[in-house]
Amino acid sequence: MNQKLYMVSLGPGDVELLTLKALNVFKECDAICVPTKSQDNSFEKSISYNIVMSALDVLEVKKPIVSVYSPMHFKYEDWVNEAEVILETLGQYEKVCFVTLGDAAIYSSIYYLLDIIKDKNEMIYKNCEVIAGVTSFSAASAVAQKALCLGDEELIIKPINPRSAVKRTEVLMRPKIGMDTKSLGEGDFYTFENMYLKDAKITPSKIEKVKKYMTLFINFASRD
Ligand SMILES: C[S@@+](CC[C@H](N)C(=O)[O-])C[C@H]1O[C@@H](n2cnc3c(N)ncnc32)[C@H](O)[C@@H]1O
């Protein structure tokens, strides 16, 4: 079996804020793993379940739904149990989705799960695809009709109740063509040029000189 795992971002709650990529993955997959906070594995309080069911209605398809107990206590053992349910589901079905609210990049458990999956089954980890989505704060900005950043403003996203020292990821946008990137500092940089466009290039470091305006840098928080 050529198993494939998709980590699918669901957006902030409205099925219309799902991406076409997410819908296509739901159409293609054999089963969908949905997290729930209910210990009895029911979906009574699961926002994710409601979005997934609305999406399947839109697509007019039915898919097996697998409940993944996710108590959200930020405990390693819980993530191990969740990863095991996902891997067991991949033992039964070839293409499996796991869903997460908003966008997977923002405070989602999926990267904890992927670290565990990498240790348990490297092939599945390497074959995994993360589907981007609309963040809660992009949607909030649209609802309020207020920009998150304009001109020379910057955007800060903070955990309200941090458990330890707060680290920082920086997204650096709107470079000047020809600029030297020394001034951007050092760290765990990635450079993204013309993403999803012709000549798209992703470099897992900081390029020295900017060639295109459609370039963004991410200096990821240092993680052990
Ligand atoms: C674990 S984080 C997940 C964030 C999510 N991945 C995102 O991209 O927005 C959960 C927090 O996101 C915010 N959030 C997510 N969906 C929201 C919504 N529909 N309305 C308001 N806040 C929301 C709240 O601050 C909530 O405590």
Side-chain angles (χ1 to χ4, degrees):
M1 232 180 359
N2 187 20
Q3 293 142 311
K4 174 104 187 173
L5 173 63
Y6 296 92
M7 295 298 201
V8 182
S9 303
L10 291 177
D14 184 342
V15 69
E16 291 189 15
L17 289 175
L18 265 178
T19 63
L20 256 185
K21 264 189 197 288
L23 283 179
N24 283 334
V25 166
F26 286 158
K27 202 158 51 179
E28 288 298 308
C29 75
D30 303 308
I32 304 175
C33 292
V34 180
T36 176
K37 276 197 270 184
S38 304
Q39 211 158 3
D40 64 359
N41 277 332
S42 74
F43 291 114
E44 231 167 86
K45 293 182 205 146
S46 173
I47 302 169
S48 302
Y49 179 77
N50 290 336
I51 303 172
V52 169
M53 294 319 279
S54 303
L56 297 181
D57 275 352
V58 169
L59 292 169
E60 298 182 335
V61 297
K62 287 197 187 331
K63 299 283 167 170
I65 304 291
V66 178
S67 182
V68 183
Y69 176 51
S70 313
M72 290 180 71
H73 294 151
F74 216 77
K75 281 198 188 143
Y76 185 73
E77 313 88 86
D78 293 335
W79 293 323
V80 171
N81 291 336
E82 291 174 49
E84 274 168 5
V85 176
I86 294 170
L87 290 172
E88 278 163 21
T89 310
L90 276 159
Q92 277 181 277
Y93 301 98
E94 197 168 319
K95 290 182 188 163
V96 170
C97 297
F98 177 81
V99 297
T100 186
L101 280 174
D103 178 53
I106 307 292
Y107 302 128
S108 164
S109 63
I110 75 141
Y111 289 99
Y112 299 114
L113 300 181
L114 281 177
D115 277 349
I116 295 164
I117 288 170
K118 186 180 183 188
D119 284 345
K120 289 181 181 282
N121 191 323
E122 189 142 10
M123 190 277 287
I124 287 175
Y125 172 79
K126 282 192 175 149
N127 219 6
C128 172
E129 195 176 328
V130 179
I131 309 295
V134 176
T135 66
S136 52
F137 51 83
S138 301
S141 158
V143 170
Q145 296 196 17
K146 283 175 91 72
L148 291 177
C149 20
L150 285 174
D152 290 338
E153 297 163 1
E154 62 181 25
L155 170 67
I156 299 175
I157 302 158
K158 281 185 176 185
I160 296 176
N161 298 295
R163 294 168 189 84
S164 53
V166 175
K167 297 175 186 172
R168 172 185 292 176
T169 288
E170 272 185 335
V171 180
L172 300 155
M173 302 172 74
R174 293 166 61 210
K176 282 211 158 55
I177 294 172
M179 73 173 269
D180 191 308
T181 62
K182 274 197 197 84
S183 61
L184 303 183
E186 296 304 321
D188 182 11
F189 267 93
Y190 271 64
T191 307
F192 302 84
E193 299 171 277
N194 276 2
M195 252 191 308
Y196 301 112
L197 308 173
K198 204 171 139 272
D199 306 328
K201 192 169 173 203
I202 298 172
T203 312
S205 61
K206 187 178 65 172
I207 58 167
E208 280 176 19
K209 252 192 181 24
V210 172
K211 290 172 240 106
K212 302 173 177 99
Y213 177 67
M214 295 300 257
T215 299
L216 75 79
F217 301 90
I218 301 186
N219 187 0
F220 288 95
S222 64
R223 298 172 189 131
D224 316 318

